[in-house]
Amino acid sequence: MSAQHFQGRFEVEFKYRLGDVEAFTTALAALNPEVILERNQEQDTYFDTPDRSLNAAGKSLLIRAMQPSGIRLWIVKGPEPDRCEAVNITDADKAISMLHTLGYQPILTLRKVRSIYFVGPFHVTLDHLAGLGDFAELAIMTDDEALLPGYRQQLLALAAQLGLDPARLETRSYRTLCEQATTPSPERRS
């Protein structure tokens, strides 16, 4: 996997709910993307303090393990919407043990099937999450915050090329979607 595509302190990302996965993959194939990996199994384990101080500050801390690629990442997102940093790690179990030692607790495990493609400087992912559905993410990472507005426009143009419907733009994170899907509504809590 090309490491330069995933380096930077900032990430511009647009996520869309897919109604027709086949139409999306056909449009993507027409752009002749570079295939990085297909149908990779990912497990994201999110951590927070017992009082959920990271969540309250708009931050996420997670360890991602990917199979069969063998990629393991330590990822921190927030507090700004475009802030995202990731670092490769060699031992996810050891990293999780270290987080436990520091007092962090696992609060959510999210599993997805992910395929990653490159279209020019952008990475395009096709994700399936059981119970949530299919999504396409278009993204780029950078250390230069001044480039973010231009990248937003370029990614929106790429979304249009891929036939992604602006009305299906999903602004919530997978974490939020999962938490909302498992939280009972007020009328069901009684």
Side-chain angles (χ1 to χ4, degrees):
M1 187 178 327
S2 179
Q4 75 266 15
H5 278 270
F6 299 102
Q7 290 181 355
R9 293 179 299 139
F10 303 99
E11 178 182 47
V12 178
E13 177 184 271
F14 292 102
K15 177 177 25 232
Y16 295 84
R17 285 186 174 274
L18 293 176
D20 186 343
V21 174
E22 189 173 320
F24 172 76
T25 56
T26 298
L28 180 61
L31 297 178
N32 196 28
E34 179 184 352
V35 178
I36 302 308
L37 51 89
E38 291 187 309
R39 302 204 47 79
N40 210 55
Q41 306 290 318
E42 291 190 10
Q43 177 174 302
D44 293 348
T45 305
Y46 287 81
F47 292 86
D48 207 333
T49 58
D51 65 358
R52 300 282 179 114
S53 63
L54 291 178
N55 189 50
K59 298 176 185 177
S60 289
L61 167 61
L62 64 124
I63 301 294
R64 175 173 292 162
M66 303 164 64
Q67 294 300 329
S69 69
I71 297 168
R72 291 166 299 281
L73 300 170
W74 179 303
I75 301 171
V76 176
K77 293 186 177 192
E80 301 87 11
D82 293 326
R83 188 66 188 243
C84 177
E85 294 185 80
V87 65
N88 286 310
I89 57 176
T90 57
D91 188 334
D93 292 333
K94 180 61 99 177
I96 288 170
S97 175
M98 292 167 64
L99 287 169
H100 284 153
T101 299
L102 291 170
Y104 290 94
Q105 301 173 342
I107 58 165
L108 174 71
T109 298
L110 189 149
R111 290 175 181 83
K112 61 184 170 264
V113 178
R114 172 171 276 184
S115 299
I116 302 176
Y117 309 90
F118 292 157
V119 176
F122 305 110
H123 47 276
V124 176
T125 63
L126 173 60
D127 292 332
H128 175 78
L129 288 85
L132 292 180
D134 297 297
F135 298 85
E137 289 184 348
L138 314 178
I140 188 167
M141 296 187 76
T142 183
D143 280 318
D144 189 345
E145 194 171 6
L147 296 175
L148 298 178
Y151 283 149
R152 281 188 191 92
Q153 293 307 311
Q154 291 174 53
L155 283 169
L156 290 171
L158 177 58
Q161 273 187 287
L162 292 168
L164 296 170
D165 181 354
R168 295 185 64 90
L169 181 66
E170 179 55 71
T171 57
R172 294 170 292 177
S173 68
Y174 289 139
R175 174 184 173 177
T176 299
L177 290 169
C178 284
E179 289 173 341
Q180 290 174 346
T182 59
T183 301
S185 63
E187 59 274 3
R188 292 190 328 205
R189 285 188 200 155
S190 54

